[in-house]
Structures are given as C-alpha cells and as structure tokens.
Amino acid sequence: MLPSNDFPRFTAAAVQASPVFLDAARTVEKAVSLIGEAAGNGARLVVFPEVFIPGYPYWNWITDPVTGGAWFEKLVRASVFADGPEVAKVQAAARSNDCYVVMGLNERSPVSLGALYNTLLFIGPDGAILGKHRKLVPTWAEKLTWTGGDGSSLRVYDTEIGPLGGLACGENTNTLARFTLLAQGELVHTASYISLPVAPKDYDMAEAIKLRSMSHSFEGKVFTVTATSTVSDEIIAAMEEIRPDARDLLERKSSAYSGVIGPDGREVVPGLIDDEGIVYAEIDLGKCIQPKQMHDITGHYNRFDIFDLRVNQVPQGAVNLKTGPAPAPDPSAVPMPDDSEESQSDQDWRKP
C-alpha cells in the first residue's frame, strides 16, 4: 500500500525491440544495453516485451505441430531458469542503474523438460527479484509451447514507484485476472506483448494492443506501461527455413505498439508502432485520484455484497512431498496385527 499522501512521480520506459533470436546470452547483452540507455534517460521503470529472452515461438502459427516439435526443442535449449546466470546479469543491470525492470522470458521448469513458462520477472533497483508472473493461459497456438501458470503469481508489489503489477499479452483481456491485480491496489500496470503479423488480415494488432492498454487504464484508473517486441529480419530468415512464404506473413505492418497510457485511458505521450525504440513518459500517481472519484471499481463503484471473486493463490506443483523426522514410538499404541495379515502396501503405509 502507498504511504499516506505519497504519490510518486517517475519516468517509465517501454522497450520495443526484437531479441537475438533463440540466443539467451546475446539477448541479455542487448537487454543490459537497453536498461543502461533507458536509465541514462532518467527511467526508474524499464519494461520489456513478452518472452524477450530468448524469443517468441512464431513457428506455432505457421507450421504443423510435428514440424514445430524440433523448434520447441531449440527453444527449450535456449530458455533460462528464473534464478539462472542470464537473469543474474539482468539483475546486475537493474542494480547498477538503480531502476526497476520487468523482463519477459521463456522460463524452464526445474523438474520437467516438457514445461516452459511464459514468465514476467519483476526486479527491484537493488537487483533483487520481487517476484514473477507466469502467463495463466497460453493463447491459441501458444498452447503447443507453454504450460499455464497458477494464481500464486497474480500479485502486486509494493515499491518506491507505487503498487506494481503486470500481465502478458492476451491475458490483458482476462477481466478477472486484471481485476485481481486492481483489487490488490495496483496503480502501475505493465503489459508485455509480442508482434503477431500472422493474425487475420482485417486484424490490426498494434491497435488491439493499444486498445487493451487503454481499457485497463480507464477501467482501473491506473497507468499502463506497454512493451511489445518487433519481428527482426533474423527471425523472418529463421522462419523461412520452415515456410518459404514466411516473409510475406511476418513483415506485415501495424503489428507492434508500445507506449504509456494514463488513468484517463489516453496516451501520456505518442506511442511507437513497429519500429525499434524506447518510449519514455512521466507517471504521476496523483493523477489517479480524481478519476477514481467517478469510477472506483475496487471501491465505491462496486457491490461486494453482490459480487464475490475468489482467487486461489496456492502454488501448484507436480507433487507435494512431506518430509520430516520420524515420530517417536508411542508406547500406549495398540499392538499391530501380525505382518502376515497385512498387505505389503499396508505395511509400507504404516512405516514412519
């Protein structure tokens, strides 16, 4: 929660760039450079696109699952652990530049080679990881790549720049997920996307991204910092190995938008479409106050006696292992029947 009468003002930076495709080490080098550039221009919050490290699985949209399987393996091999050495370099960049960083990455599972997570990592100016959000539901063809996250990552972080949260790409249309963040006091929302030129021809991806950001900001009376990746010639060339007409599919314009939206639902500054670059804007959390007097959907403009949203924030795992010291024998316990009268499973069950 914000301290009384403390409404920070700071500069936010939305990064619109492409990764070094399927190369985590070089993508991290690029990210570190961009963090330094943004912080050098006064940014205290630097937001990166969805799965920036080491890139997006475009093959899911342009080929069959069997052909895409080999590329899934390439992605697994190139992906990173949330506590791995690649992430440590991003943490060091946040610390040396005294800024918050929200980084999108393909996160490897520590227990399963078949599980990748679409993860947003929240890093503080001291380099510590505040937490991470795993995309709850991969969108459409993305289900061929990512495992869904759980409710434990639907959290808002109390920071010096205000209550900070975020969602990845299409889940910014998930009303209940967005409300869950708003209801925890979120005032600074980060929305990370990828450019998707392969959408239907009558679908304007850049406009859709902007609209989603405007909707969240207007409904919640918050600031939204949106960062979207671009499709580099390197990515197109790689996808041409799968499909000769990949360039025609992936060069389509108006496919990426990055910018900052204010609590009135309007751009704070003009956003960036398609080209690589960084959008800077000043965020003044005091500007969230008056709009909330009209519509505060987490306060007076709601009926909590009618609506009841319950969110399971218990982390989910493949197995729950209970360990600990063996209990001391109970001398008052009733003697057990002879082992010959029990099944082997019963005997095992009774062992401490």
Side-chain angles (χ1 to χ4, degrees), residues 120-244:
L120 294 179
L121 207 60
F122 295 81
I123 303 172
D126 59 354
I129 294 177
L130 302 175
K132 64 184 179 183
H133 170 67
R134 289 171 169 174
K135 191 172 185 176
L136 298 177
V137 181
T139 304
W140 204 355
E142 294 174 354
K143 292 180 175 67
L144 292 169
T145 293
W146 294 314
T147 298
D150 58 41
S152 66
S153 68
L154 277 176
R155 298 191 180 276
V156 172
Y157 305 99
D158 290 330
T159 74
E160 295 173 341
I161 60 173
L164 175 68
L167 295 171
C169 201
E171 64 182 352
N172 283 284
T173 64
N174 187 323
T175 303
L176 299 185
R178 295 192 297 106
F179 185 85
T180 299
L181 297 182
L182 293 171
Q184 293 176 70
E186 181 189 56
L187 290 178
V188 183
H189 181 73
T190 63
S192 296
Y193 288 85
I194 52 89
S195 173
L196 191 61
V198 297
K201 291 184 177 180
D202 61 350
Y203 187 78
D204 189 322
M205 182 69 177
E207 189 64 23
I209 293 172
K210 181 180 178 182
L211 177 62
R212 293 172 189 176
S213 299
M214 294 169 71
S215 296
H216 186 71
S217 281
F218 185 79
E219 289 178 11
K221 313 307 180 191
V222 301
F223 285 88
T224 297
V225 183
T226 301
T228 303
S229 62
T230 58
V231 182
S232 65
D233 193 70
E234 176 192 25
I235 293 173
I236 293 174
M239 294 302 94
E240 284 179 320
E241 296 178 24
I242 299 173
R243 186 165 167 170

Side-chain angles (χ1 to χ4, degrees), residues 306-319:
I306 298 174
F307 304 111
D308 181 10
L309 175 61
R310 302 183 184 189
V311 180
N312 180 10
Q313 289 194 320
V314 177
Q316 305 298 305
V319 62

